[in-house]
Amino acid sequence: MKGKLYGIGVGPGDPGLMTIRAKELLDGAQVIAYPVKKPGEDGTALEIIKQKVDISGKEVVELLFSMNPDDEVRKRCRAENIDRICGMLDQGKDIAMITLGDVAVYSTYMYLDREVRDRGYETEVVPGIPSFCHGAAKAGLPLMIGEESLAVLSMAKHDIGKVEKAVDCIDNIVIMKAFASIREIADMMGRKGIPLSNATVMSNIGMEDEYVGPLETDRKYGYFTTVLIKKKVN
């Protein structure tokens, strides 16, 4: 009998925010797989679950997802991971692939899910709490209220033009992967006439060096940094 692949969001950083469903599946899985950008790299998601899940006796598998700018290199890397996962599923092993936040939000897992299903294997996506939801809660801010709109964007490619277009027509903008783009975001807000006080930075949410507060261009932020811009402050 073939195993089943689970894509599990473990939340933004605080292990106490991992869902009951995620904990149950992680307890029962024979294999825990986690994504890394470089071989031997610490897996943040793995460190989170180790505080709630006993992984001794489980097979822990590192999956390398290359950040090479060459799209073909990244595709080959994903194909190798899919082959590896399917090989373990053929052995009847249930695999829990863990990811930070929610599986459906900029997650490496979603590159694999459809391909694995298309090969005839069963998969399940298990949601987690996204970092921007936790950050907004910490800041006491609504992401949307009334008839307001919301956009979620990534600054991984430093595409500030995309953010500017969103600001023109969207009430609230969540900018993920923003740690290296704080100055660009601040300058864009200036061009659009939006006060910096309308921006809230959520950095390394749920981790020891967490920061939730105003956007300060001279502050150093952690890798997991998101900015929430609210055009209207209620």
Side-chain angles (χ1 to χ4, degrees):
M1 184 176 177
K2 294 179 180 179
K4 182 175 178 179
L5 174 64
Y6 298 90
I8 300 178
V10 301
D14 181 348
L17 293 176
M18 192 164 54
T19 67
I20 294 172
R21 175 66 172 160
K23 172 73 163 58
E24 290 173 346
L25 291 172
L26 289 166
D27 284 338
Q30 292 104 318
V31 180
I32 305 290
Y34 66 100
V36 295
K37 296 186 290 294
K38 297 177 182 177
E41 186 179 53
D42 289 338
T44 305
L46 183 65
E47 293 305 310
I48 291 170
I49 71 162
K50 282 163 67 175
Q51 299 176 62
K52 292 290 183 180
V53 177
D54 181 6
I55 65 170
S56 61
K58 297 183 184 293
E59 186 176 352
V60 180
V61 176
E62 177 185 279
L63 297 177
L64 176 64
F65 286 84
S66 173
M67 294 292 106
N68 192 299
D70 187 332
D71 191 48
E72 290 304 313
V73 172
R74 296 197 302 274
K75 285 180 180 178
R76 284 198 300 271
C77 190
R78 291 199 291 267
E80 290 171 2
N81 286 327
I82 291 166
D83 288 342
R84 191 176 179 191
I85 286 170
C86 291
M88 290 185 284
L89 294 173
D90 283 335
Q91 297 171 31
K93 297 177 179 178
D94 287 338
I95 304 171
M97 181 174 169
I98 55 177
T99 184
L100 280 173
D102 180 68
V103 185
V105 181
Y106 295 121
S107 163
T108 48
Y109 172 80
M110 297 308 293
Y111 287 111
L112 312 182
D113 186 84
R114 179 173 293 182
E115 290 281 348
V116 172
R117 279 190 284 119
D118 286 347
R119 294 192 189 187
Y121 301 91
E122 188 179 1
T123 70
E124 181 179 333
V125 174
V126 181
I129 297 175
S131 60
F132 59 85
C133 289
H134 189 197
K138 287 248 179 179
L141 293 171
L143 289 169
M144 298 163 285
I145 197 164
E147 298 299 316
E148 289 180 352
S149 54
L150 175 72
V152 180
L153 305 172
S154 167
M155 274 295 285
K157 294 186 177 180
H158 300 275
D159 188 357
I160 196 66
K162 180 170 60 177
V163 177
E164 290 199 54
K165 289 178 182 177
V167 166
D168 287 338
C169 57
I170 303 295
D171 298 308
N172 306 288
I173 299 93
V174 169
I175 309 169
M176 302 186 72
K177 305 183 181 183
F179 78 102
S181 304
I182 295 297
R183 171 57 69 180
E184 291 175 83
I185 293 168
D187 290 347
M188 179 275 299
M189 291 179 68
R191 290 193 298 274
K192 295 294 184 180
I194 303 172
L196 282 186
S197 57
N198 286 36
T200 300
V201 176
M202 313 161 183
S203 182
N204 290 359
I205 293 294
M207 303 176 190
E208 288 185 3
D209 56 345
E210 171 184 284
Y211 172 81
V212 179
L215 189 156
E216 300 170 354
T217 55
D218 57 349
R219 175 188 282 270
K220 286 190 176 181
Y221 297 101
Y223 179 78
F224 301 107
T225 291
T226 294
V227 178
L228 169 63
I229 299 174
K230 297 184 70 66
K231 286 163 64 177
K232 302 174 185 175
V233 177
N234 299 300

